[in-house]
């Protein structure tokens, strides 16, 4: 029996196909930011200047379109985790990365739920990138724990639960009342080891 793999949208090889792909992706990002993950695919196709069939040819499912629209942000989280020099403070590196993760997870309404499901569902298009992002965050957490800056009993899964909570707060904030920075600051207070415990 052949293994079923999730569809991951690939950039087309022909120039006209590339133009359509780029136009759909740009329109999707605008629509998702304005209307959330349930934005109308028909409207996205119209904004991109293509027929709905063309959209489906490039992105056969909504999940495939969301994956393509958020892939760069997840890739940047992975790359950011791999960039720190050894001399950098492990806690500062982790907290900076956590802030970036919360911002990406809440790029548009509904994304934090999609990414949370994708972390554990191998059948979703975003699973592979979410898994890589999870590994990169776990490595930063481990470095901060080994440096004695963060409580040792915090697991990577718990870290991502906390990040998802902060992202949900940001995603659902009313304009001008984003409580996620304070939420994340309070989370960090609970993670830190007191000076005398190091």
């Amino acid at each position: 029996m052949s293994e079923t793999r999730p569809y991951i949208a690939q950039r087309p090889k022909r120039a006209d196909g590339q133009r359509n792909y780029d136009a759909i992706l740009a329109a999707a990002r605008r629509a998702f930011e304005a209307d959330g993950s349930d934005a109308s695919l028909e409207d996205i196709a119209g904004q991109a200047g293509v027929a709905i069939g063309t959209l489906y040819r490039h992105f056969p499912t909504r999940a495939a379109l969301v994956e393509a629209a958020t892939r760069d942000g997840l890739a940047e989280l992975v790359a950011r985790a791999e960039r720190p020099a050894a001399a950098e403070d492990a806690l500062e590196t982790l907290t900076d990365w956590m802030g970036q993760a919360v911002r990406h997870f809440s790029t548009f309404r509904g994304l934090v739920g999609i990414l949370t499901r994708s972390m554990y569902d191998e059948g979703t298009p975003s699973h592979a990138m979410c898994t890589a992002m999870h590994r990169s965050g776990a490595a930063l957490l481990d470095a901060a724990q080994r440096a004695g800056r963060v409580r040792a009993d915090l697991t990577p899964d718990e870290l991502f639960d906390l990040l998802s909570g902060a992202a949900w707060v940001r995603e659902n904030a009313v304009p001008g009342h984003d409580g996620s920075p304070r939420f994340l600051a309070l989370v960090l207070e609970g993670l830190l080891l007191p000076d005398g415990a190091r």
Side-chain angles (χ1 to χ4, degrees):
M1 181 182 294
S2 61
E3 182 183 356
T4 301
R5 297 183 180 276
Y7 179 86
I8 306 296
Q10 302 294 326
R11 289 189 173 276
K13 296 178 181 178
R14 289 175 45 179
D16 56 343
Q18 182 67 60
R19 282 192 298 274
N20 288 340
Y21 177 97
D22 291 342
I24 294 166
L25 202 50
R29 286 173 173 148
R30 291 192 300 271
F32 289 149
E33 288 179 12
D35 301 321
S37 60
D38 292 330
S40 164
L41 298 185
E42 288 79 5
D43 288 350
I44 290 172
Q47 289 295 318
V50 301
I52 188 65
T54 301
L55 182 149
Y56 280 120
R57 191 158 51 250
H58 289 288
F59 306 99
T61 65
R62 179 181 296 274
L65 183 55
V66 169
E67 185 278 331
T70 59
R71 184 187 305 159
D72 291 347
L74 289 174
E76 174 56 26
L77 283 172
V78 174
R80 174 68 184 88
E82 295 172 348
R83 277 200 297 267
E88 284 193 43
D89 179 81
L91 178 60
E92 181 180 349
T93 300
L94 174 64
T95 56
D96 287 349
W97 187 88
M98 289 172 66
Q100 181 181 354
V102 168
R103 288 189 295 276
H104 177 69
F105 291 0
S106 55
T107 301
F108 53 79
R109 277 193 326 279
L111 180 58
V112 65
I114 291 169
L115 295 179
T116 299
R117 288 191 298 274
S118 295
M119 189 87 71
Y120 304 104
D121 184 351
E122 295 181 8
T124 57
S126 298
H127 176 72
M129 189 57 75
C130 282
T131 299
M133 183 265 300
H134 191 283
R135 281 196 305 267
S136 66
L140 294 181
L141 173 61
D142 180 65
Q145 288 171 324
R146 285 187 286 105
R149 306 301 305 278
V150 173
R151 54 190 297 167
D153 63 344
L154 181 71
T155 69
D157 283 348
E158 289 170 337
L159 173 67
F160 280 92
D161 286 343
L162 294 171
L163 293 175
S164 296
W168 185 90
V169 169
R170 184 173 189 263
E171 180 182 288
N172 290 278
V174 297
H177 294 85
D178 177 9
S180 63
R182 176 156 173 77
F183 183 97
L184 190 55
L186 292 171
V187 165
L188 288 168
E189 281 186 26
L191 303 184
L192 301 182
L193 286 174
D195 289 339
R198 293 180 194 167

